[in-house]
Amino acid sequence: MSQINFLCQGQGPPVILLHGMYASMHDWDTLLPILADSGYQVFAPDLPGHGESAWLENPQAYRVENIAAELSAWIESLHLPEPPRLVGHSLGGYISLQYTICHPQQVARLVLVDPLYNAGQLSPLLLPLVWQPRLAGQAVRRIPPDWVYTFMGWDVTPRTNRAPALRQQIASDFKRTDPDVIHLLADIPDLTPHVSSLAVPTLVIWGESDPTLHPGSFPTLAQAIPGAHRHPIAGCGHQPHIDLPERTNRLVVEFFST
C-alpha cells in the first residue's frame, strides 16, 4: 500500500470522505468539522497521487481499480469498530460505489456527490484526455499556476463567487497532483450492471448544470439503486459541496441522522 495522507477529526461512528480528481482532502473543509461536531469520527484522505499522498512510480498504475484497492487496504488498516459511512465526489464517488458493491456488509451508508460511474458520463471536452492520457499529462505539467487560479474560479453558475482563498486552495491542489493521474480516465469499468444489487441506504446529490459529467446520468444512477434518495440542485455545477456547502452539508447530516 502506498503512503496515504489523511486527516481524522471527531469521535463516534466513522465517516470517510473521498474527493475527486486533481483535488485533495481540502474539498471537505466545510463538511468535515460539521460532521465531527455532529458526533462522527471523520477521515478525509488524499487519494494516491493527490495532495500529500505519495505519487505512483508507474503512470500506467493509475487505474481506478488500483486506486480502489489502495483505498480498500487503507480502510482495513484503520481497524474501524463498525462499518463506515462513505461520502464520495466524482472519482471519489466511483471508488465509494465500487467499494460498497464489493463490500456491502462493510458500509453503513453511502453518499454520492456528482459521482463518476462510467466513461459515458464524461463531457466531450474531456474525451481527448481519455484518448491521449500521456500527452494530456504533459500538457497539464505546462499549465502556468496563474492560469489554473483563474480557471478554478470559474463555475457555470453566475451566483457562484468563489473567494480568493478558496480559488487558491483549489488551484494549489490541482498543481500538486501528479499529472499522470489523467490515466485514470483512460479505462473506467462501467459500474452500471452492479448497482441494482446494492442494499445500502444511499443518497445521490448532483448539480443539474454539471459541465464535467453529464447531469442526466445522475438520476439514471439514482433510479437504478434500490431505494436511493435523490437530490438534484438546480443551477449548480460539478462541485455542490464546494459551491453550495450549506445546502449540501445539511443534506448529508440529515441523511446520516435519519
Side-chain angles (χ1 to χ4, degrees):
M1 184 178 71
S2 62
Q3 175 192 350
I4 292 182
N5 177 59
F6 68 95
L7 177 66
C8 177
Q9 186 175 328
Q11 297 293 327
V15 178
I16 296 175
L17 309 175
L18 300 180
H19 63 78
M21 282 184 65
Y22 286 99
S24 80
M25 65 167 68
H26 289 292
D27 267 22
W28 309 109
D29 279 352
T30 62
L31 177 58
L32 189 151
I34 289 175
L35 287 173
D37 289 343
S38 298
Y40 298 98
Q41 184 179 31
V42 191
F43 298 85
D46 289 327
L47 298 180
H50 297 76
E52 299 299 325
S53 289
W55 291 14
L56 303 184
E57 294 183 5
N58 180 6
Q60 302 301 322
Y62 284 109
R63 292 288 185 267
V64 287
E65 58 266 29
N66 293 343
I67 302 301
E70 292 275 351
L71 265 293
S72 180
W74 171 74
I75 292 174
E76 185 176 349
S77 74
L78 297 176
H79 301 292
L80 300 176
E82 61 182 88
R85 293 156 172 79
L86 300 183
V87 181
H89 168 249
S90 197
L91 172 64
Y94 185 102
I95 296 170
S96 299
L97 189 56
Q98 186 182 59
Y99 183 86
T100 306
I101 291 168
C102 295
H103 307 91
Q105 303 303 317
Q106 298 178 31
V107 176
R109 292 199 168 213
L110 176 64
V111 177
L112 303 170
V113 183
D114 290 72
L116 175 67
Y117 64 93
N118 70 50
Q121 297 175 267
L122 295 173
S123 163
L125 297 176
L126 298 179
L127 292 181
L129 307 182
V130 177
W131 299 329
Q132 295 289 341
R134 183 179 64 84
L135 295 179
Q138 293 173 355
V140 167
R141 285 183 171 91
R142 292 193 288 266
I143 298 176
D146 289 348
W147 290 16
V148 179
Y149 176 84
T150 300
F151 177 76
M152 291 303 174
W154 175 85
D155 189 65
V156 296
T157 57
R159 64 180 175 174
T160 297
N161 183 21
R162 291 175 175 171
L166 175 58
R167 295 170 64 181
Q168 186 60 54
Q169 181 63 62
I170 296 174
S172 173
D173 288 341
F174 183 94
K175 288 301 291 182
R176 64 184 176 146
T177 298
D178 184 350
D180 287 325
V181 302
I182 201 68
H183 284 78
L184 287 164
L185 297 179
D187 184 19
I188 305 171
D190 186 3
L191 298 181
T192 307
H194 309 289
V195 299
S196 62
S197 64
L198 286 177
V200 175
T202 302
L203 168 65
V204 184
I205 302 170
W206 70 91
E208 291 188 322
S209 301
D210 189 333
T212 303
L213 302 176
H214 194 289
S217 66
F218 305 125
T220 300
L221 174 67
Q223 186 174 5
I225 299 175
H229 301 257
R230 61 196 76 179
H231 281 277
I233 301 180
C236 186
H238 186 58
Q239 299 170 302
H241 58 303
I242 291 177
D243 292 322
L244 292 174
E246 292 184 1
R247 181 170 179 180
T248 306
N249 296 346
R250 175 177 53 80
L251 290 171
V252 174
V253 172
E254 289 179 354
F255 177 67
F256 283 169
S257 63
T258 302

